[in-house]
Amino acid sequence: MSARKVPLTTRKYVKQITNKSEAKDNNATMKNRVPLVLAGLLNLVAWSVVFVVTVSLKCERGHNNTEATRIRNNKSESAALPVIIASNAANIDHSATSTSAAVENTVDEPSYLQWDPSTPPNIPDDWKFTRPRFCKNTANFRYDNATHSNQTIIVYHHMQHNAGTRLWSSARKFVPCALRSCWQKYKHCMVSYDEKVEANHLRNNFKKYGVQYHSYELMLPPRFSLPFVSEEARRGLFFTTIVRDPFKRLLTSVRRHNYTEIADKEESPFWIDLQTGNQGPYAGDNLNARWLSGAQERLSNDHVNIAKCRLQLFDLVIADKLYEYAKKVICPLNNWKGDQYCNDKIKRREHQSKPDPLNETDPVLIGAWIERLRPSFEIYDYARILSWKQMEERGVQDLPVLSEVPSYMETFARYTNLEVTDSHLKKIRRVSVKNEGYFQPPVEFCDGMKRYWTSNPDVVPNVIGIGTISRGDFVLHSDNT
């Protein structure tokens, strides 16, 4: 379905916001409040555009202060493990319709670990592995211990609109079964918070059904361990993910949805600033940051740190601009050869996106959204460093030079004709392997998260997304796994 042109000019959005407010409330005060708030936001961002150089200096100083503060906070919040209420967790029968165990939210745990719902889902009576229609070869698959025990199972975290389908379409040509998205309701994945139980389930799916490529396409609860932490759980598994420029990801979301209809305006990323409460897992606002951290409402520094701690655990982080080079790591894992993906040729030309729907949009509104996406930009810059470093360590040659300009500034320059010079980079931290320590999360915080991730009970996670048991109140994609 082709997307209609999205009305994105500041004037139209102010008018839409005003009309929407008038329709909801006849009170004169409520009529004026929303446009005034938005106007104030736009004026504030306009000043940031004018004084971009001085803002860069303030960002550097502010980041240093925030870093020291959050390290102190993280030490105190991460000191204790959560209070987990579980009854005979090790003996839970996942085929039952309900369990007596739950990963409970408690007042004693850090707020960034909160997850709703915290109780297990209602397990169907007939919960069993269902072969997806894309895996036609599994009927004839026979696990051979001499051959397959030395092969690797690829576990991919698929954040929406991050080129995950592109990677899956290549992987499916080399394996007996590749899941574009592993469905919980078909017992493909998400069977337990306990990483060892979850890992054994993935390995059994390979032995019984030939599933050699698992794709988790959903927002991960803060406590859910992915990638797995312990050596026992990670055995025979290779964890990877693609992290895309957050603003380009947002543009893809805008193109894919029709936000001109009244019924769809509530879901538009450009209305989110006017909303409060749970946005749902597929909102365009900072999706990468939310899916990596499990932030269901407001994002905090702690959520950004959770996302970065997860990234550290991936065997290979694939930054979007290094996608072509990733095949030099992935293809040799199981000796994949041939096909367009696993040939020796590297396409050095960056993938061309479709026309930009924001070309005629007021730069001030775009500036507001760049600032809104700063958590995802920070995570993306760290992912770029990890990706380049991991590929170099694995022997990938002729890697392109890593851009040292922070991604939010590159995006800002693209829409405002700002020329980023050395004078800017003297006032802000360059994105480079040399500066990795500045972008990485506090060690104490990640150690605390690893303790959470390795101490979970054997309880079925209650998640909302494609193919989950608890579907939620949004429209799912078609049942194509």
Side-chain angles (χ1 to χ4, degrees):
M1 181 179 69
S2 59
R4 301 179 187 176
K5 186 176 181 181
V6 184
L8 297 174
T9 62
T10 305
R11 180 181 301 175
K12 288 183 179 180
Y13 268 91
V14 172
K15 183 177 179 180
Q16 288 176 351
I17 295 168
T18 305
N19 292 339
K20 185 177 181 181
S21 180
E22 290 175 352
K24 284 188 174 182
D25 199 329
N26 293 325
N27 186 284
T29 302
M30 292 303 296
K31 286 181 183 179
N32 296 326
R33 181 174 300 166
V34 172
L36 286 175
V37 171
L38 183 60
L41 172 64
L42 298 181
N43 285 333
L44 179 61
V45 176
W47 278 108
S48 69
V49 174
V50 176
F51 295 106
V52 63
V53 177
T54 56
V55 167
S56 299
L57 178 58
K58 291 180 180 179
C59 286
E60 168 73 2
R61 292 173 178 170
H63 190 108
N64 290 338
N65 293 335
T66 303
E67 183 75 9
T69 302
R70 72 183 179 186
I71 289 176
R72 288 195 300 269
N73 292 340
N74 292 337
K75 285 182 178 179
S76 60
E77 284 204 321
S78 302
L81 290 173
V83 178
I84 298 177
I85 301 175
S87 299
N88 300 322
N91 300 318
I92 292 175
D93 181 5
H94 290 310
S95 64
T97 56
S98 64
T99 83
S100 59
V103 179
E104 296 285 353
N105 294 328
T106 72
V107 295
D108 298 326
E109 70 184 8
S111 60
Y112 53 80
L113 290 179
Q114 296 291 322
W115 178 257
D116 182 34
S118 62
T119 54
N122 293 322
I123 308 300
D125 292 331
D126 59 345
W127 195 33
K128 61 182 179 180
F129 183 93
T130 302
R131 183 179 288 109
R133 70 182 183 89
F134 285 118
C135 296
K136 298 178 181 179
N137 297 329
T138 56
N140 299 321
F141 174 78
R142 296 293 182 271
Y143 184 87
D144 177 59
N145 190 66
T147 302
H148 295 110
S149 61
N150 296 321
Q151 293 190 357
T152 300
I153 301 170
I154 296 176
V155 182
Y156 177 74
H157 183 216
H158 184 173
M159 293 179 282
Q160 190 187 49
H161 301 322
N162 277 255
T165 302
R166 184 181 175 193
L167 180 61
W168 164 82
S169 64
S170 298
R172 63 183 294 209
K173 300 174 184 178
F174 298 99
V175 300
C177 179
L179 299 179
R180 187 171 69 179
S181 58
C182 57
W183 285 36
Q184 185 187 39
K185 75 172 187 177
Y186 292 156
K187 211 170 186 180
H188 298 158
C189 64
M190 300 299 288
V191 301
S192 178
Y193 265 106
D194 186 326
E195 64 171 18
K196 294 178 182 178
V197 175
E198 182 79 4
N200 285 332
H201 183 76
L202 300 185
R203 285 189 280 266
N204 288 333
N205 283 350
F206 180 35
K207 292 180 179 179
K208 293 181 179 180
Y209 311 106
V211 181
Q212 203 169 1
Y213 182 97
H214 286 269
S215 178
Y216 286 72
E217 189 177 355
L218 41 72
M219 179 191 292
L220 300 173
R223 284 194 189 146
F224 186 77
S225 177
L226 193 83
F228 305 145
V229 178
S230 66
E231 291 186 11
E232 178 182 350
R234 295 176 71 97
R235 177 176 51 84
L237 307 178
F238 183 88
F239 295 90
T240 185
T241 189
I242 300 174
V243 184
R244 190 182 180 193
D245 180 309
F247 204 80
K248 291 181 178 179
R249 200 222 72 84
L250 176 67
L251 295 183
T252 299
S253 179
V254 171
R255 292 191 201 97
R256 296 286 181 88
H257 297 83
N258 177 14
Y259 294 128
T260 59
E261 301 294 335
I262 295 177
D264 293 330
K265 287 179 181 178
E266 292 289 342
E267 298 300 322
S268 168
F270 295 96
W271 285 101
I272 289 177
D273 270 336
L274 306 181
Q275 299 176 5
T276 57
N278 195 325
Q279 299 176 3
Y282 293 94
D285 171 34
N286 282 293
L287 181 137
N288 287 2
R290 295 181 183 281
W291 280 34
L292 285 167
S293 68
Q296 293 174 301
E297 296 188 10
R298 294 189 181 278
L299 278 165
S300 67
N301 282 332
D302 294 312
H303 290 120
V304 173
N305 283 333
I306 291 175
K308 289 182 176 182
C309 293
R310 284 196 195 276
L311 288 179
Q312 290 180 342
L313 292 170
F314 282 98
D315 295 292
L316 181 64
V317 175
I318 306 174
D320 49 3
K321 293 184 178 180
L322 295 180
Y323 176 84
E324 276 291 312
Y325 296 84
K327 66 185 181 182
K328 296 294 185 180
V329 177
I330 293 178
C331 293
L333 289 175
N334 295 314
N335 199 28
W336 295 352
K337 293 182 179 179
D339 190 65
Q340 185 176 358
Y341 181 71
C342 284
N343 59 27
D344 293 330
K345 188 177 180 180
I346 296 289
K347 295 180 181 178
R348 298 187 182 276
R349 198 175 89 177
E350 188 178 347
H351 176 72
Q352 297 296 313
S353 298
K354 295 179 180 179
D356 192 336
L358 302 186
N359 274 341
E360 299 179 0
T361 305
D362 190 326
V364 175
L365 180 60
I366 294 176
W369 266 95
I370 292 174
E371 185 63 25
R372 176 78 174 187
L373 294 173
R374 283 291 289 275
S376 290
F377 277 122
E378 183 174 340
I379 294 168
Y380 174 63
D381 283 341
Y382 185 51
R384 290 199 292 135
I385 294 173
L386 287 177
S387 182
W388 200 97
K389 179 182 176 182
Q390 289 173 346
M391 290 192 191
E392 184 186 46
E393 290 175 346
R394 290 179 176 273
V396 179
Q397 299 179 354
D398 300 324
L399 288 169
V401 177
L402 177 64
S403 172
E404 294 186 335
V405 180
S407 54
Y408 80 92
M409 286 200 70
E410 282 189 341
T411 306
F412 196 77
R414 186 162 65 247
Y415 287 98
T416 61
N417 296 320
L418 170 71
E419 182 180 357
V420 180
T421 65
D422 287 340
S423 63
H424 293 97
L425 297 177
K426 289 179 181 178
K427 297 179 172 64
I428 59 177
R429 194 73 63 172
R430 296 172 185 260
V431 180
S432 65
V433 175
K434 179 181 177 181
N435 289 334
E436 180 183 0
Y438 176 80
F439 290 91
Q440 70 184 11
V443 174
E444 300 91 339
F445 185 92
C446 290
D447 288 344
M449 288 307 305
K450 289 175 184 177
R451 290 196 295 272
Y452 291 123
W453 288 331
T454 56
S455 63
N456 286 322
D458 183 11
V459 181
V460 180
N462 201 342
V463 289
I464 298 176
I466 296 176
T468 59
I469 296 173
S470 300
R471 287 198 164 200
D473 56 357
F474 60 94
V475 178
L476 286 172
H477 298 182
S478 60
D479 286 11
N480 294 331
T481 57

Coordinates of all heavy atoms in Angstrom, one line a residue, residues 379-410:
I379 N 22.6 6.1 21.4 CA 22.8 4.7 21.3 C 23.3 4.3 19.9 O 24.2 3.4 19.8 CB 21.4 4.0 21.5 CG1 20.9 4.2 22.9 CG2 21.5 2.5 21.2 CD1 19.5 3.8 23.2
Y380 N 22.9 5.0 18.9 CA 23.3 4.7 17.5 C 24.8 5.0 17.4 O 25.6 4.2 16.8 CB 22.5 5.5 16.5 CG 23.0 5.5 15.1 CD1 23.0 4.2 14.4 CD2 23.5 6.6 14.4 CE1 23.4 4.2 13.1 CE2 23.9 6.5 13.1 CZ 23.9 5.3 12.4 OH 24.3 5.3 11.1
D381 N 25.3 6.1 17.9 CA 26.7 6.4 17.8 C 27.6 5.4 18.6 O 28.7 5.0 18.1 CB 27.0 7.8 18.4 CG 26.6 8.9 17.5 OD1 26.4 8.7 16.3 OD2 26.4 10.1 18.0
Y382 N 27.1 4.9 19.7 CA 27.8 3.8 20.4 C 27.8 2.5 19.6 O 28.8 1.8 19.5 CB 27.2 3.6 21.8 CG 27.9 2.6 22.6 CD1 29.3 2.7 22.8 CD2 27.3 1.5 23.2 CE1 30.0 1.8 23.6 CE2 27.9 0.6 24.0 CZ 29.3 0.7 24.2 OH 30.0 -0.2 24.9
A383 N 26.7 2.3 18.9 CA 26.6 1.1 18.0 C 27.5 1.2 16.9 O 28.1 0.2 16.4 CB 25.1 0.9 17.5
R384 N 27.7 2.4 16.3 CA 28.7 2.6 15.2 C 30.1 2.2 15.7 O 30.9 1.6 14.9 CB 28.6 4.0 14.7 CG 27.3 4.4 14.0 CD 27.5 5.6 13.1 NE 27.7 6.8 13.9 CZ 28.6 7.7 13.7 NH1 29.5 7.5 12.6 NH2 28.7 8.8 14.4
I385 N 30.4 2.7 16.9 CA 31.8 2.4 17.4 C 32.0 0.9 17.6 O 33.0 0.3 17.2 CB 32.0 3.1 18.7 CG1 32.0 4.6 18.5 CG2 33.3 2.6 19.4 CD1 32.1 5.5 19.8
L386 N 31.0 0.2 18.3 CA 31.1 -1.2 18.5 C 31.1 -2.0 17.2 O 31.9 -2.9 17.1 CB 29.8 -1.7 19.3 CG 29.8 -1.3 20.8 CD1 28.5 -1.8 21.4 CD2 31.0 -1.9 21.5
S387 N 30.3 -1.6 16.2 CA 30.3 -2.3 14.9 C 31.6 -2.3 14.2 O 32.1 -3.3 13.8 CB 29.2 -1.7 14.1 OG 29.1 -2.4 12.8
W388 N 32.2 -1.1 14.2 CA 33.5 -0.9 13.5 C 34.6 -1.7 14.2 O 35.4 -2.4 13.6 CB 33.8 0.6 13.4 CG 34.9 0.9 12.4 CD1 34.6 1.4 11.1 CD2 36.3 0.8 12.5 NE1 35.8 1.6 10.4 CE2 36.8 1.3 11.3 CE3 37.1 0.4 13.5 CZ2 38.2 1.3 11.0 CZ3 38.5 0.5 13.3 CH2 39.0 0.9 12.0
K389 N 34.6 -1.6 15.5 CA 35.6 -2.3 16.3 C 35.5 -3.8 16.2 O 36.5 -4.5 16.1 CB 35.4 -1.8 17.8 CG 36.4 -2.5 18.8 CD 36.1 -2.0 20.2 CE 37.1 -2.7 21.2 NZ 36.8 -2.3 22.6
Q390 N 34.2 -4.3 16.3 CA 34.0 -5.8 16.3 C 34.4 -6.3 14.9 O 35.0 -7.4 14.8 CB 32.6 -6.1 16.6 CG 32.2 -5.9 18.0 CD 30.7 -6.1 18.2 OE1 29.9 -6.1 17.3 NE2 30.3 -6.2 19.5
M391 N 34.1 -5.6 13.8 CA 34.5 -6.1 12.5 C 36.0 -6.1 12.3 O 36.5 -7.0 11.7 CB 33.7 -5.3 11.4 CG 32.3 -5.5 11.4 SD 31.5 -4.9 9.9 CE 29.7 -5.0 10.4
E392 N 36.6 -5.1 12.8 CA 38.1 -5.0 12.6 C 38.7 -6.2 13.4 O 39.7 -6.8 12.9 CB 38.6 -3.7 13.1 CG 40.1 -3.5 12.9 CD 40.6 -2.2 13.6 OE1 40.3 -2.0 14.7 OE2 41.4 -1.5 12.9
E393 N 38.2 -6.4 14.6 CA 38.8 -7.5 15.5 C 38.6 -8.9 14.8 O 39.3 -9.8 15.0 CB 38.1 -7.5 16.8 CG 38.6 -6.3 17.7 CD 37.8 -6.2 19.0 OE1 36.8 -6.9 19.2 OE2 38.3 -5.5 19.9
R394 N 37.5 -9.0 14.0 CA 37.2 -10.3 13.3 C 37.9 -10.4 12.0 O 37.6 -11.3 11.2 CB 35.7 -10.5 13.2 CG 35.0 -10.8 14.6 CD 33.6 -11.0 14.4 NE 32.9 -11.3 15.7 CZ 32.8 -12.5 16.1 NH1 33.3 -13.6 15.4 NH2 32.2 -12.8 17.3
G395 N 38.7 -9.4 11.7 CA 39.6 -9.5 10.4 C 38.9 -8.9 9.2 O 39.5 -9.2 8.1
V396 N 37.8 -8.2 9.3 CA 37.2 -7.6 8.1 C 38.1 -6.4 7.7 O 38.5 -5.6 8.4 CB 35.8 -7.0 8.4 CG1 35.2 -6.4 7.2 CG2 34.9 -8.2 8.9
Q397 N 38.5 -6.5 6.4 CA 39.5 -5.5 5.9 C 38.8 -4.4 5.1 O 37.6 -4.6 4.6 CB 40.5 -6.2 5.0 CG 41.3 -7.2 5.7 CD 42.3 -8.0 4.9 OE1 42.3 -7.8 3.6 NE2 43.2 -8.8 5.5
D398 N 39.5 -3.3 4.8 CA 39.0 -2.2 4.0 C 37.7 -1.6 4.5 O 36.9 -1.2 3.7 CB 38.9 -2.6 2.6 CG 40.2 -3.1 2.0 OD1 41.2 -2.6 2.3 OD2 40.1 -4.1 1.2
L399 N 37.6 -1.5 5.9 CA 36.4 -0.9 6.4 C 36.4 0.6 6.1 O 37.5 1.2 6.1 CB 36.4 -1.1 7.9 CG 36.0 -2.5 8.5 CD1 36.3 -2.6 9.9 CD2 34.6 -2.8 8.2
P400 N 35.3 1.2 5.8 CA 35.3 2.6 5.6 C 35.6 3.4 6.8 O 35.4 2.9 7.9 CB 33.8 2.9 5.1 CG 33.0 1.8 5.7 CD 33.9 0.6 5.7
V401 N 36.1 4.6 6.6 CA 36.4 5.5 7.8 C 35.2 5.8 8.6 O 34.1 6.1 8.1 CB 37.1 6.8 7.3 CG1 37.4 7.7 8.5 CG2 38.4 6.5 6.5
L402 N 35.3 5.6 9.9 CA 34.2 5.9 10.8 C 34.0 7.4 10.9 O 35.0 8.1 11.3 CB 34.5 5.3 12.2 CG 33.5 5.5 13.3 CD1 32.1 4.9 12.9 CD2 34.0 5.0 14.6
S403 N 32.9 7.9 10.6 CA 32.6 9.4 10.7 C 32.6 9.8 12.2 O 32.0 9.2 13.0 CB 31.2 9.7 10.1 OG 30.9 11.1 10.4
E404 N 33.4 10.8 12.5 CA 33.6 11.2 13.8 C 32.5 12.3 14.2 O 32.5 12.6 15.4 CB 35.0 11.8 14.0 CG 36.1 10.8 13.9 CD 37.4 11.4 14.2 OE1 37.6 12.7 14.1 OE2 38.3 10.7 14.6
V405 N 31.7 12.7 13.3 CA 30.7 13.7 13.6 C 29.5 13.0 14.3 O 29.0 12.0 13.8 CB 30.2 14.4 12.3 CG1 29.1 15.4 12.7 CG2 31.3 15.0 11.6
P406 N 29.0 13.4 15.5 CA 27.9 12.8 16.1 C 26.7 12.8 15.1 O 26.5 13.7 14.4 CB 27.6 13.7 17.3 CG 28.9 14.3 17.6 CD 29.6 14.5 16.3
S407 N 25.9 11.7 15.2 CA 24.9 11.5 14.2 C 23.8 12.5 14.2 O 23.2 12.9 13.2 CB 24.3 10.1 14.3 OG 23.9 9.9 15.6
Y408 N 23.5 13.0 15.4 CA 22.5 14.0 15.5 C 22.9 15.3 14.8 O 22.1 16.0 14.2 CB 22.1 14.3 17.0 CG 23.0 15.2 17.8 CD1 22.8 16.6 17.8 CD2 24.1 14.7 18.5 CE1 23.6 17.4 18.5 CE2 24.9 15.5 19.2 CZ 24.7 16.9 19.2 OH 25.5 17.7 19.9
M409 N 24.2 15.7 14.9 CA 24.7 16.8 14.2 C 24.7 16.7 12.7 O 24.4 17.6 11.9 CB 26.1 17.2 14.7 CG 26.1 17.8 16.1 SD 27.7 18.7 16.4 CE 27.5 20.1 15.3
E410 N 25.0 15.4 12.2 CA 25.0 15.2 10.8 C 23.6 15.3 10.3 O 23.3 15.9 9.2 CB 25.5 13.8 10.5 CG 27.0 13.6 10.5 CD 27.4 12.2 10.0 OE1 26.6 11.3 10.0 OE2 28.6 12.1 9.7

